[in-house]
Amino acid sequence: MLPKGVKSCPPLGTVDGYAEWVAAVTTTVLDGRAVAITGGGGRTLRVWDLATGERVGAPWTGHTNAVRALALSVLDGRPVAVSGGDDRTVRVWELASGKPVGEPLHLHADSVKALAIAERRGRQVVVTGCYDTTVRVWDLETRQEVMAPLRGHTGPVYAVATAVLNGRWVAVTGGDRTVRVWDLETGEPVGSPFTGHSGYVSAITVVELAAGHQVVVSGGYQSTTKVSDLATGLPVSVLPRSMDLESVTTTVVNGRLVAITCDRNEPTIQVYDLETTELVGELFPQHRRTIHAVATAVVDGRQVVVSSCDGGSVRVSDLAVGQPADKPVRHDAAITAVATTSVDGRPVAVTGSDDETVRVWDLDTGDQVCRPLTGHTGAVTAVAATQVDGRAVAITGGKDGEIHLWDLALGKAARAPLTTHRGPITVVAADNTPRAITAGDDKTIRVWDLRTGEETGNPRKSDHRRVLDLTTTTLDDRPVAVLGRWGGGFRVRDLASNRDTGLQTTGTNGKPVRLVATTVVDGRPIAITTNDDWRDPSIEVWDVATTQQLGRLPMTNVAALAATTIDGHPIAVTASYGTVAVWSLITFDRISPNLEFPNEVNAVTATPHGHIIVCFDRDIAVFTVSTGR
């Protein structure tokens, strides 16, 4: 889950026009519109309207290899973009038309990995960081190199920034384990290299932390992100949680100076208060792969972050900051199951994990409602939640074969564990009667009275083999469970007696049903099932009362499944690898763009209030969905 005071932020928009990775992004205003300019493996530059996500004009062509770096400047009174890349050239483009301005700069060096704009003797210059370890300075208008290459780095120069220090323009560069400052008038080093990074430096920015006090924010591969005094190189602070920095930028939000970072090991973008170094925001732009670059802009009066990734997507997310966050709270291992209920009127998610804990999260704030619930001695494999006499209760099962009941308001066990199962628990479900139904590797199905903790009825053997999934619903005003059958389809069990009702179907191919979800429309229960047949793994939708198939959802390799009804419209939520889709169970069409995640999604759930909760690896993302009605 995201840290205290931090909310998950879906993107405002997405522009996915690239087939290859996007390495560089910058933002500006063009004809009154906020736009992003991007470049990457496609060898072109593209311009995107940040309000609509539409591409502006045709791609800018000219580079013959990947574009690695972008900057903006003004040349002869015209706004221009400057780009560099693996074709060993720097090119200048008229921003209004996208046409090249003059001839490209042909570097007698290796690939351009970074560039920035500065002034030297009143003229615009481009400072380039090159793969051959050199830093080179070029006159933007004449395209002539204005001094000998700056040498000192012992590895490729991956990052360049420029600033004015004591009235003189300087370049700040990083690549090997050092950050170096160069006088752009003389080409001489300014002071000693900044040391302390444990890996190569790949991202740098310079910002004024306080009046007259400029600092360098730098980081890179397997190295902490450091804040250093520009004039002396002395350390000022360290940003936590950032060990593999890909990109960094700064801005001011509500009077607070913040650093915005992306890390190759994190699916999120972090926002730090630079004065206190505390994490005050975290955005989740839903890139499926590593985020490469970040920039900021203002769209319709809102501050946003524009991000790009090596999967080809460019996304726009609201920039929101909160109070300083506590130590990030998350499970210590993959989340395996999730359910929802409310505690004292607040919507919550209850998660179980391979770390043997159960955790309760406030869906509005991201706070943990109580301390982690401990007691399982194996991974938590199944979670359900309901209300018992107005109190929120969670029921969890684990590989230890135990069923635990938890009082969520008190944050502790409601009673001693139920230990009658003789093997790992595969699935738990509950209703508001209040009863819970559990099944496990011992092939038994048990029903429990949640008020007393006593088992009701006799345990029943599952048909053929164990039950892989089940859920609860109401049929003719009777509480029932819908169980996936090993031979395909589903069967219905009466919860009051723990006996089969006789309602069942074999499905279409006789393969084991792995996942089951139900919802109710106009008093009629609908079931959704998916099976283990790789040749025909689509999702089947059923009328439970008649056992008639209503339709199919064209989704394959489903790893997680949920259903609910929002404003009378039944929906299904499906997860396949890192993609989550929301479907109408009336039209059987997708009703929202796919949500993309950097890790495989293990569990999903949905609420009648429109919350979609997605668990991937150790993280949780919370979204809202509208049916359009």
Side-chain angles (χ1 to χ4, degrees), residues 14-83:
T14 175
V15 285
D16 293 306
Y18 278 93
E20 300 182 42
W21 44 268
V22 183
V25 60
T26 189
T27 61
T28 187
V29 176
L30 179 63
D31 296 329
R33 295 180 293 181
V35 299
I37 305 169
T38 58
R43 299 179 294 181
T44 63
L45 276 70
R46 305 191 187 202
V47 183
W48 308 94
D49 187 312
L50 293 179
T52 66
E54 299 295 325
R55 192 169 69 192
V56 179
W60 303 356
T61 58
H63 281 286
T64 59
N65 209 328
V67 178
R68 298 280 184 175
L70 287 170
L72 298 172
S73 188
V74 177
L75 184 62
D76 295 331
R78 294 177 298 174
V80 295
V82 183
S83 60

